[in-house]
Coordinates of all heavy atoms in Angstrom, one line a residue:
M1 N -15.2 -9.9 -7.5 CA -14.3 -9.3 -6.6 C -14.2 -7.8 -6.7 O -14.3 -7.3 -7.7 CB -12.9 -9.9 -6.8 CG -12.8 -11.4 -6.6 SD -11.1 -11.9 -6.2 CE -11.4 -13.6 -6.0
S2 N -14.1 -7.2 -5.5 CA -14.0 -5.7 -5.4 C -12.6 -5.3 -5.2 O -11.9 -5.9 -4.4 CB -14.9 -5.3 -4.3 OG -16.2 -5.7 -4.4
I4 N -10.0 -2.3 -3.7 CA -9.9 -1.2 -2.8 C -8.5 -0.6 -2.9 O -7.6 -1.2 -3.4 CB -10.1 -1.6 -1.3 CG1 -9.1 -2.7 -0.9 CG2 -11.6 -2.1 -1.2 CD1 -9.2 -3.0 0.6
E16 N -7.5 -6.4 -3.5 CA -8.7 -7.1 -4.0 C -9.4 -7.8 -2.9 O -8.7 -8.5 -2.1 CB -8.3 -8.0 -5.1 CG -9.5 -8.6 -5.9 CD -9.0 -9.3 -7.1 OE1 -8.3 -10.4 -6.9 OE2 -9.2 -8.9 -8.2
L17 N -10.7 -7.6 -2.7 CA -11.5 -8.3 -1.7 C -12.2 -9.5 -2.4 O -12.4 -9.5 -3.6 CB -12.5 -7.4 -1.1 CG -12.0 -6.2 -0.4 CD1 -13.1 -5.3 0.2 CD2 -11.0 -6.6 0.8
D18 N -12.5 -10.6 -1.6 CA -12.9 -11.8 -2.2 C -14.4 -12.0 -2.5 O -14.8 -13.0 -3.1 CB -12.5 -13.0 -1.3 CG -13.2 -13.0 0.1 OD1 -14.1 -12.1 0.3 OD2 -12.8 -13.8 0.9
G19 N -15.2 -11.0 -2.2 CA -16.6 -11.1 -2.6 C -17.5 -11.7 -1.5 O -18.7 -12.0 -1.7
S20 N -16.9 -12.1 -0.4 CA -17.6 -12.7 0.7 C -18.6 -11.6 1.3 O -18.4 -10.4 1.1 CB -16.7 -13.2 1.8 OG -16.0 -12.1 2.4
D21 N -19.5 -12.1 2.2 CA -20.4 -11.1 2.9 C -19.6 -10.1 3.7 O -20.0 -8.9 3.7 CB -21.3 -11.9 3.8 CG -22.4 -12.7 3.0 OD1 -22.6 -12.5 1.8 OD2 -23.0 -13.6 3.7
I22 N -18.5 -10.5 4.3 CA -17.8 -9.6 5.2 C -17.1 -8.5 4.3 O -17.1 -7.4 4.5 CB -16.7 -10.3 6.0 CG1 -17.4 -11.2 7.0 CG2 -15.8 -9.3 6.7 CD1 -16.4 -12.2 7.7
S23 N -16.4 -9.0 3.2 CA -15.7 -8.1 2.3 C -16.7 -7.1 1.6 O -16.4 -5.9 1.4 CB -14.8 -8.8 1.4 OG -15.5 -9.6 0.5
N24 N -17.9 -7.6 1.2 CA -18.9 -6.8 0.6 C -19.4 -5.7 1.6 O -19.5 -4.6 1.2 CB -20.0 -7.6 0.1 CG -19.7 -8.4 -1.2 OD1 -18.8 -8.1 -1.9 ND2 -20.4 -9.5 -1.4
A25 N -19.6 -6.1 2.8 CA -20.0 -5.1 3.8 C -19.0 -4.0 4.0 O -19.3 -2.8 4.2 CB -20.3 -5.8 5.1
I26 N -17.7 -4.4 4.0 CA -16.6 -3.5 4.2 C -16.6 -2.5 3.0 O -16.5 -1.3 3.1 CB -15.2 -4.2 4.3 CG1 -15.2 -4.8 5.8 CG2 -14.1 -3.3 4.1 CD1 -14.0 -5.8 6.0
W27 N -16.7 -3.1 1.8 CA -16.6 -2.3 0.5 C -17.7 -1.3 0.5 O -17.5 -0.1 0.1 CB -16.6 -3.2 -0.7 CG -16.2 -2.6 -2.0 CD1 -15.0 -2.4 -2.4 CD2 -17.1 -2.0 -3.0 NE1 -15.0 -1.7 -3.6 CE2 -16.3 -1.5 -4.0 CE3 -18.5 -1.9 -3.1 CZ2 -16.8 -0.9 -5.1 CZ3 -19.0 -1.3 -4.2 CH2 -18.1 -0.8 -5.2
L28 N -18.9 -1.7 0.9 CA -20.1 -0.8 0.9 C -19.9 0.3 1.9 O -20.5 1.4 1.8 CB -21.4 -1.6 1.1 CG -21.8 -2.5 0.0 CD1 -23.0 -3.4 0.4 CD2 -22.2 -1.6 -1.2
S29 N -19.1 0.1 3.0 CA -19.0 1.2 4.0 C -17.9 2.2 3.7 O -17.7 3.1 4.4 CB -18.6 0.5 5.4 OG -17.3 0.0 5.3
L30 N -17.2 2.0 2.6 CA -16.1 2.9 2.2 C -16.5 4.2 1.6 O -17.6 4.2 1.1 CB -15.1 2.1 1.2 CG -14.5 0.8 1.7 CD1 -13.7 0.2 0.6 CD2 -13.7 1.0 3.0
M47 N -12.9 -1.7 12.5 CA -13.7 -1.4 11.4 C -15.0 -2.3 11.6 O -15.1 -3.3 10.9 CB -13.0 -1.7 10.1 CG -13.8 -1.2 8.9 SD -12.9 -1.3 7.4 CE -14.0 -0.4 6.3
V49 N -18.3 -4.1 11.3 CA -19.1 -4.4 10.1 C -20.3 -5.2 10.6 O -20.2 -6.2 11.3 CB -18.3 -5.3 9.1 CG1 -19.2 -5.6 7.9 CG2 -17.1 -4.5 8.6
N51 N -23.3 -7.8 10.5 CA -23.5 -9.2 10.0 C -22.1 -9.8 9.6 O -22.1 -10.5 8.6 CB -24.4 -9.2 8.8 CG -25.8 -8.7 9.2 OD1 -26.3 -9.0 10.3 ND2 -26.4 -7.9 8.4
A52 N -21.1 -9.5 10.3 CA -19.8 -10.1 9.9 C -19.5 -11.4 10.7 O -18.8 -11.5 11.6 CB -18.7 -9.1 10.3
R55 N -16.1 -16.9 9.3 CA -16.0 -18.1 8.5 C -14.6 -18.5 8.3 O -13.7 -17.7 8.2 CB -16.8 -18.0 7.2 CG -16.1 -16.9 6.3 CD -16.7 -16.9 4.9 NE -16.1 -15.8 4.1 CZ -14.9 -15.8 3.5 NH1 -14.2 -16.9 3.6 NH2 -14.5 -14.8 2.8
I66 N -5.2 -9.9 3.5 CA -6.1 -9.0 4.3 C -7.1 -9.9 5.0 O -7.7 -10.8 4.3 CB -6.8 -8.0 3.4 CG1 -5.8 -7.1 2.6 CG2 -7.8 -7.1 4.2 CD1 -6.4 -6.2 1.5
Y68 N -10.3 -10.2 8.4 CA -11.1 -9.6 9.3 C -11.0 -10.4 10.6 O -11.1 -11.6 10.6 CB -12.6 -9.6 8.8 CG -13.5 -8.8 9.6 CD1 -13.5 -7.4 9.6 CD2 -14.4 -9.4 10.5 CE1 -14.3 -6.7 10.4 CE2 -15.3 -8.7 11.3 CZ -15.2 -7.3 11.3 OH -16.0 -6.6 12.1
L75 N -10.0 -4.8 10.9 CA -9.4 -5.2 9.6 C -7.9 -5.4 9.8 O -7.3 -4.5 10.5 CB -9.7 -4.1 8.5 CG -9.5 -4.6 7.1 CD1 -10.5 -5.6 6.7 CD2 -9.6 -3.4 6.2
T98 N -10.5 -14.2 9.5 CA -11.1 -14.7 8.3 C -10.4 -14.0 7.1 O -10.5 -12.7 7.1 CB -12.6 -14.4 8.3 OG1 -13.2 -15.1 9.3 CG2 -13.2 -14.9 7.0
K99 N -9.7 -14.7 6.2 CA -9.1 -14.1 5.1 C -10.2 -13.5 4.2 O -11.2 -14.2 3.9 CB -8.3 -15.1 4.3 CG -7.0 -15.5 4.8 CD -6.3 -16.3 3.8 CE -5.3 -17.2 4.5 NZ -4.5 -18.0 3.5
I100 N -10.0 -12.3 3.7 CA -11.1 -11.7 2.9 C -10.5 -11.0 1.6 O -11.2 -10.5 0.8 CB -11.9 -10.6 3.6 CG1 -11.1 -9.5 4.1 CG2 -12.7 -11.3 4.8 CD1 -11.9 -8.3 4.6
G101 N -9.2 -11.0 1.5 CA -8.6 -10.4 0.3 C -7.1 -10.4 0.4 O -6.5 -11.0 1.2

Side-chain angles (χ1 to χ4, degrees):
M1 296 206 181
S2 304
I4 60 172
E16 190 171 67
L17 300 177
D18 66 7
S20 65
D21 290 345
I22 296 170
S23 65
N24 286 338
I26 289 169
W27 196 81
L28 290 171
S29 72
L30 299 178
M47 188 173 188
V49 177
N51 301 320
R55 61 170 176 80
I66 299 171
Y68 187 73
L75 196 65
T98 299
K99 286 188 206 182
I100 62 166

